[in-house]
Amino acid sequence: MKLLKSLISFTYNFFIVLTVLMFIVLAMIWTNTPEKLIALFNEDFDTTYVFTISFVVELFSYVLFFIILQRMKIVVSNFYNKNYFNLENSKYIKQIGWVIIITFLIDDILLPYIIPYIEGISGKEIFVNFVEILYLASSKLFIGLFLLGIGKAFELGLKQQQENELTI
């Protein structure tokens, strides 16, 4: 359990540092501050993508990833402290499940199939492959649904434990 707690803490802190660096670079791109550096970015990357709707939607998905990491960090810390069955863990596990489902909808439905129509990307044909959607749904969506069930099981187990303590 200590290894899991350390890995989640490391991942969380690593992504915080990465996010700070990413926002510094984005601020430089948006303001065209050091023109030589922006010229280098323009050679290697399409900086016009930073100003599109899909980029903003991807940033929202990135924020949802942080929410998942933060909730996982709390739940693992509670488990590490031998505080397994409580309403807080149940609530956070259900929130992780919902956020995974929302992330699935954003990353696997909204970005590849809906955003190109909104942005008016012409010349790009979009083929809906239902087998691929079902495959993606069977991973992220089912993981999210599974976590919702686990969170509900924690909640029901806690209620059952409280009822048993009252009858004794």
Side-chain angles (χ1 to χ4, degrees), residues 66-109:
F66 267 113
I67 292 170
I68 291 171
L69 272 177
Q70 190 260 346
R71 300 299 193 259
M72 286 176 64
K73 188 176 171 188
I74 292 171
V75 169
V76 169
S77 293
N78 286 342
F79 286 173
Y80 181 75
N81 295 329
K82 298 188 186 327
N83 191 3
Y84 305 112
F85 296 103
N86 61 28
L87 286 178
E88 182 184 35
N89 286 345
S90 171
K91 180 179 79 170
Y92 287 146
I93 289 171
K94 286 192 287 187
Q95 286 177 358
I96 291 169
W98 280 114
V99 172
I100 288 174
I101 291 171
I102 292 169
T103 304
F104 159 74
L105 293 173
I106 290 172
D107 290 343
D108 299 327
I109 303 294

Side-chain angles (χ1 to χ4, degrees), residues 4-157:
L4 180 62
K5 183 179 177 186
S6 299
L7 286 173
I8 288 179
S9 293
F10 174 78
T11 305
Y12 183 76
N13 292 328
F14 173 76
F15 275 100
I16 286 176
V17 170
L18 189 67
T19 302
V20 168
L21 293 175
M22 181 180 68
F23 278 113
I24 290 171
V25 169
L26 285 175
M28 290 175 6
I29 289 172
W30 285 333
T31 59
N32 281 333
T33 328
E35 292 183 20
K36 291 180 182 180
L37 185 62
I38 298 304
L40 290 174
F41 276 128
N42 288 331
E43 289 176 11
D44 293 336
F45 304 105
D46 181 18
T47 55
T48 58
Y49 180 69
V50 172
F51 299 100
T52 63
I53 296 170
S54 45
F55 182 76
V56 172
V57 172
E58 286 182 28
L59 277 181
F60 181 68
S61 183
Y62 191 75
V63 169
L64 292 177
F65 174 72
F66 267 113
I67 292 170
I68 291 171
L69 272 177
Q70 190 260 346
R71 300 299 193 259
M72 286 176 64
K73 188 176 171 188
I74 292 171
V75 169
V76 169
S77 293
N78 286 342
F79 286 173
Y80 181 75
N81 295 329
K82 298 188 186 327
N83 191 3
Y84 305 112
F85 296 103
N86 61 28
L87 286 178
E88 182 184 35
N89 286 345
S90 171
K91 180 179 79 170
Y92 287 146
I93 289 171
K94 286 192 287 187
Q95 286 177 358
I96 291 169
W98 280 114
V99 172
I100 288 174
I101 291 171
I102 292 169
T103 304
F104 159 74
L105 293 173
I106 290 172
D107 290 343
D108 299 327
I109 303 294
L110 187 68
L111 281 173
Y113 300 114
I114 298 172
I115 293 291
Y117 288 119
I118 294 172
E119 290 185 340
I121 298 174
S122 59
K124 182 177 179 181
E125 294 183 26
I126 299 173
F127 297 103
V128 178
N129 185 349
F130 290 108
V131 174
E132 181 181 333
I133 290 174
L134 289 175
Y135 173 73
L136 292 171
S138 66
S139 58
K140 283 185 185 174
L141 186 61
F142 289 149
I143 289 171
L145 291 172
F146 178 74
L147 287 174
L148 286 175
I150 294 288
K152 190 65 175 176
F154 267 60
E155 187 178 315
L156 293 173

